Amino acid sequence: MARRTLVLGAGMVGVSIAWHLAKRGRDVVLIDRREPGRETSFGNAGIIQREAVRPYAFPRDMKTLLGVLPNQRVDIRYRPVGMLHAATPLLRYWHNSGPSAYRHIVPEYAALIMRCLETHTPMIEAAGAEKLIRKDGFLELLRSRRHFTQRQAEAEDNYRRFGVRYEVLDREALAAKEPDLSDDIIGAIHWLNSWTATDPGELVAAYARAFEAEGGQCLQDEITDVAQTQDGWRVTTATQTLDADDLVVALGPWAGRWLKPLGYHFPTFVKRGYHMHYDESQRGRLRHWVMDADVGYLLAPMKAGVRLTTGAELDDLDAPPHLNQLAAAEKVARTLVPLGKRRDAEVWKGARPCLPDMKPIIGPAPRHDGLWLAFGHGHQGFTLGPLTGELLGAMMDGEPTSIDMRPYRADRF
């Protein structure tokens, strides 16, 4: 009999895990209250970020911290109540952003990022999703000469240490690729070996269809209870009860909440984000994904229109949306490149699931047999989902993994 496994969460991480487990011959049911790829994975910038070998650290210099305090920036905003609720993990994250701790985190984080393209490739092929993928990288735009010089040095270090390919574009070279950009941009780093998806939610949905083609089952239902039984695990939904040998929790920003009744109190917190789509303007158009690095937002020419995604907002997961951050980003974006009218009736809001040491949890739960965890990928769940599926599948079947999994174990907290 095939070992039955329930996977909770149908974002990029959960769908990828389900696909890998089904490929291994398991009887897999993927459960989510929504269709695959309709929550966090739906609203991101759609980049498989091979260049992102360094996780996002909190600022620690006094000038930047003082700039954050007025709460008017595009790249990061905060809500005092939300920060108070997440005070302990946020303080630990800030500590891990210091030079000594961060120096140790980077190679452990990069070990995951470096395998993202090779693990997405078989899933793209299985899903027949090649038309959703562009392989021409993206542009990190710079407005400051100092920042431009700094990023060139960091890019060269990332190439030498981690194989990140890049090209430095001066103003003339940038204009050849993006002739309609504002003259305020003095140059760019073209990250060459990152891929982009023209419809991130549809890519996850295509992966889910490939999972079903392997014999897996997608169940759209509201999860109401999770419990260990004598023989394994039981998940109760609004309409039925399912039993299995193994249970995988890949619930992204909701994972910590669901694990508390089982006695786990992981220091999870979220970085919220917003997006909006725009018509192309008759006065110019965008040809590549572009990150306005000195301001802190991203524009992407997707199937649904030009998508603007904001930086991070520190607040409670379920707090009402605050639309000023997106409005501020839009105001700057309209000076960067011509944009048409808004396309969406409402602003989209999502949340990135984070842990204080910037690395995800991937592996077995410390105190429960048959319980497996995969969450806390921060900004990179879309990038790291397929690798997470590969690694967790090997661990669940007792096989060696392609990288050392100790930095991502659950009992580090």
Side-chain angles (χ1 to χ4, degrees):
M1 292 289 291
R3 212 171 158 81
R4 195 174 206 212
T5 305
L6 305 178
V7 179
L8 308 186
M12 178 61 86
V13 174
V15 167
S16 299
I17 292 167
W19 183 82
H20 274 279
L21 295 179
K23 289 281 288 183
R24 288 174 167 273
R26 289 182 176 241
D27 174 14
V28 185
V29 182
L30 177 66
I31 310 171
D32 200 301
R33 64 183 178 181
R34 303 193 66 184
E35 296 176 358
R38 305 307 296 181
E39 291 279 8
T40 307
S41 296
F42 175 80
N44 58 58
I47 308 177
I48 302 171
Q49 288 192 249
R50 175 59 180 86
E51 93 296 342
V53 290
R54 299 173 186 270
Y56 291 97
F58 279 171
R60 291 174 63 92
D61 63 284
M62 188 56 64
K63 180 180 179 181
T64 304
L65 289 172
L66 290 174
V68 170
L69 283 177
N71 213 15
Q72 299 296 315
R73 292 172 63 109
V74 170
D75 57 346
I76 184 166
R77 294 206 179 186
Y78 62 91
R79 303 293 160 182
V81 172
M83 292 190 68
L84 180 63
H85 291 164
T88 298
L90 285 173
L91 184 61
R92 292 169 67 179
Y93 195 108
W94 183 83
H95 171 77
N96 285 321
S97 299
S100 178
Y102 189 74
R103 191 179 306 115
H104 292 286
I105 289 169
V106 167
E108 296 172 343
Y109 189 85
L112 299 174
I113 294 292
M114 289 169 69
R115 296 205 55 235
C116 66
L117 301 183
E118 65 185 272
T119 49
H120 267 277
T121 296
M123 295 194 68
I124 292 168
E125 294 173 352
E130 290 85 357
K131 291 183 179 180
L132 294 173
I133 301 298
R134 288 177 50 172
K135 299 183 178 181
D136 54 353
F138 77 96
L139 307 178
E140 181 179 338
L141 311 179
L142 285 310
R143 297 168 178 265
S144 153
R145 180 61 58 184
R146 180 191 62 80
H147 196 193
F148 192 18
T149 301
Q150 174 191 335
R151 291 299 284 156
Q152 289 179 56
E154 291 172 351
E156 180 59 22
D157 185 60
N158 290 343
Y159 170 71
R160 291 197 313 268
R161 295 178 62 190
F162 307 117
V164 177
R165 294 174 48 237
Y166 73 98
E167 180 183 8
V168 176
L169 305 178
D170 61 16
R171 179 64 211 178
E172 182 179 359
L174 176 60
K177 292 182 182 291
E178 288 289 347
D180 299 319
L181 290 181
S182 162
D183 291 338
D184 291 338
I185 306 301
I186 64 171
I189 306 294
H190 187 180
W191 301 108
L192 297 172
N193 54 344
S194 293
W195 297 350
T196 54
T198 57
D199 188 333
E202 177 54 30
L203 182 63
V204 179
Y207 286 179
R209 291 191 291 271
F211 158 66
E212 291 179 310
E214 292 290 339
Q217 177 188 354
C218 290
L219 174 62
Q220 186 179 348
D221 208 343
E222 191 79 33
I223 302 164
T224 59
D225 188 56
V226 173
Q228 189 174 32
T229 65
Q230 185 175 352
D231 300 318
W233 289 88
R234 176 169 295 159
V235 172
T236 304
T237 72
T239 64
Q240 60 186 292
T241 299
L242 300 98
D243 291 298
D245 303 290
D246 297 296
L247 176 69
V248 180
V249 176
L251 287 166
W254 298 274
R257 180 181 300 175
W258 275 100
L259 288 165
K260 284 181 180 178
L262 297 173
Y264 296 101
H265 296 272
F266 293 109
T268 57
F269 69 99
V270 298
K271 298 180 188 176
R272 305 195 327 173
Y274 302 88
H275 86 220
M276 173 57 65
H277 293 103
Y278 301 84
D279 290 330
E280 282 193 344
S281 171
Q282 295 181 350
R283 296 181 291 109
R285 67 184 184 91
L286 194 64
R287 294 156 177 80
H288 297 78
W289 271 242
V290 298
M291 176 190 295
D292 193 344
D294 289 301
V295 180
Y297 65 93
L298 190 141
L299 291 171
M302 293 192 179
K303 289 173 63 177
V306 179
R307 177 179 290 188
L308 185 157
T309 59
T310 67
E313 180 190 51
L314 301 175
D315 198 359
D316 292 334
L317 174 61
D318 299 323
H322 306 284
L323 304 183
N324 290 341
Q325 188 177 20
L326 184 126
E330 179 182 318
K331 183 177 180 180
V332 179
R334 289 188 179 280
T335 69
L336 175 74
V337 66
L339 291 176
K341 294 180 179 179
R342 287 188 173 192
R343 282 192 172 186
D344 305 328
E346 295 182 354
V347 175
W348 181 89
K349 174 178 73 71
R352 309 168 182 97
C354 302
L355 289 161
D357 64 356
M358 309 175 201
K359 298 172 294 185
I361 289 174
I362 306 172
R367 299 187 301 276
H368 292 80
D369 292 337
L371 178 61
W372 300 84
L373 311 177
F375 62 90
H377 293 74
H379 294 257
Q380 301 302 342
F382 191 76
T383 295
L384 295 176
L387 174 61
T388 301
E390 178 199 284
L391 294 170
L392 199 66
M395 297 176 78
M396 292 175 72
D397 284 351
E399 298 176 1
T401 54
S402 57
I403 62 175
D404 181 2
M405 297 304 295
R406 286 176 294 181
Y408 325 104
R409 66 187 188 271
D411 63 2
R412 71 185 192 266
F413 294 112

